[in-house]
Amino acid sequence: MPSFIKSLAVAAAVSSLGLGATQAQDALPDLAGRTIVAVTENAYVPLNFADPATGEGIGLEYDLFNEIAKRLNAKVDWQLSSWDVMIQAVRDGQFEVGMDGITINDERRSQVDFSDSYLTSQQLMLVRADETRFTDAATFAADASFLVGAQAGTTNFYVAVYNVLDGDEANPRIKLFDTFGTSVAALQAGDVDTVLMDQTSADGYIGANPGAFKVIGEPLGTEDFGFIFTPGSDLVAPVNAALAQIKADGTMEKLQQKWFYEYNAAQ
């Protein structure tokens, strides 16, 4: 498995394609103090979650979108929503922008507008640290007693269905949970045997729970994360312009360092 540092380097290169340095450094739009209503779930370490000490929402997505708003002369009104209604709520205009490690794909593009990618990650199998009964997707799939925890409608769910199991979305080996965090808690408790997640989240849980988890097998695919907007939103272009600048001037690299390395090391 390639190192996470290499993965981040590739992600940065991929997400910067087509953005020249001159374009990225152009003056940004001024939103004149506008308040942007943003929504997340607070259940996706280290992208968005509640600080155990204060209950305050923290994570890479918070820092990144706050920085975008600052550069656009805007403010952020942070709201919370469960994953299962988030895309619909943004599509209907209840919130202006949503984020929750949301994979950019054609099905979702038919419902909402997406920003450019801000992170590229891979799907991996997270298991308990003492797991020895299976070593990859094939050996997991071969034993019908092994269970995978997932959140319905997520990339993790669909990869479990189509890349690990038999393509049956009603397969009883998939145990559904209301939030991503509860699926990981079920894994730790022994109620399921693996949870699929991207590299960023896997590193977050491993760092926050030393000795509890590990990753096995080869990556099961890659995904690009983007912010979602109400269709036709006038925020897409300004956000993309600020995001390009943030990538070009090294701020994105600093945020990745903070949440993928320093945060893990502090746990």
Side-chain angles (χ1 to χ4, degrees):
M1 182 178 68
S3 72
F4 190 42
I5 293 175
K6 288 182 180 178
S7 296
L8 288 178
V10 171
V14 170
S15 61
S16 297
L17 289 176
L19 295 173
T22 300
Q23 176 186 353
Q25 295 300 335
D26 284 346
L28 296 175
D30 187 338
L31 299 186
R34 171 176 173 176
T35 296
I36 301 171
V37 182
V39 65
T40 189
E41 188 183 16
N42 269 11
Y44 205 161
V45 179
L47 300 184
N48 61 77
F49 59 107
D51 186 332
T54 66
E56 177 186 6
I58 59 173
L60 183 142
E61 289 178 336
Y62 276 101
D63 283 0
L64 176 57
F65 201 80
N66 282 336
E67 179 65 22
I68 288 171
K70 177 182 176 182
R71 295 187 185 210
L72 296 175
N73 187 23
K75 301 174 184 178
V76 186
D77 176 10
W78 287 102
Q79 301 289 325
L80 297 179
S81 169
S82 63
W83 162 255
D84 59 342
V85 299
M86 186 181 298
I87 293 177
Q88 178 73 43
V90 172
R91 183 177 71 177
D92 293 345
Q94 182 177 346
F95 310 106
E96 294 178 279
V97 58
M99 61 207 75
D100 197 22
I102 301 176
T103 302
I104 301 171
N105 62 36
D106 290 340
E107 179 183 356
R108 291 171 182 160
R109 283 187 187 278
S110 71
Q111 302 178 64
V112 291
D113 288 346
F114 270 99
S115 70
D116 293 335
S117 171
Y118 60 86
L119 190 68
T120 300
S121 193
Q122 297 175 313
Q123 286 288 301
L124 302 167
M125 296 180 71
L126 188 75
V127 299
R128 292 180 294 278
D130 60 356
E131 182 60 74
T132 59
R133 299 168 299 166
F134 56 94
T135 58
D136 56 17
T139 52
F140 174 87
D143 190 327
S145 69
F146 297 148
L147 305 177
V148 56
Q151 195 177 7
T154 63
T155 297
N156 319 91
F157 170 79
Y158 291 115
V159 171
V161 171
Y162 296 102
N163 294 55
V164 178
L165 299 176
D166 58 2
D168 178 6
E169 294 186 14
N171 191 316
R173 294 180 62 184
I174 303 175
K175 300 301 179 184
L176 298 179
F177 296 88
D178 290 336
T179 69
F180 190 73
T182 53
S183 69
V184 178
L187 172 63
Q188 189 167 16
D191 297 329
V192 297
D193 302 295
T194 189
V195 172
L196 304 187
M197 63 181 64
D198 60 88
Q199 179 75 71
T200 62
S201 194
D203 278 6
Y205 279 107
I206 290 170
N209 301 273
F213 301 115
K214 66 181 179 182
V215 166
I216 62 168
E218 295 297 318
L220 299 172
T222 60
E223 57 183 349
D224 287 297
F225 295 160
F227 302 117
I228 61 171
F229 301 86
T230 305
S233 172
D234 62 350
L235 288 170
V236 177
V239 166
N240 281 342
L243 184 57
Q245 190 182 83
I246 285 168
K247 293 174 183 176
D249 68 14
T251 302
M252 190 68 200
E253 183 178 355
K254 291 178 181 177
L255 291 179
Q256 291 173 341
Q257 176 70 27
K258 174 182 177 180
W259 290 107
F260 301 149
Y261 301 105
E262 295 172 9
Y263 171 75
N264 288 343
Q267 300 311 299

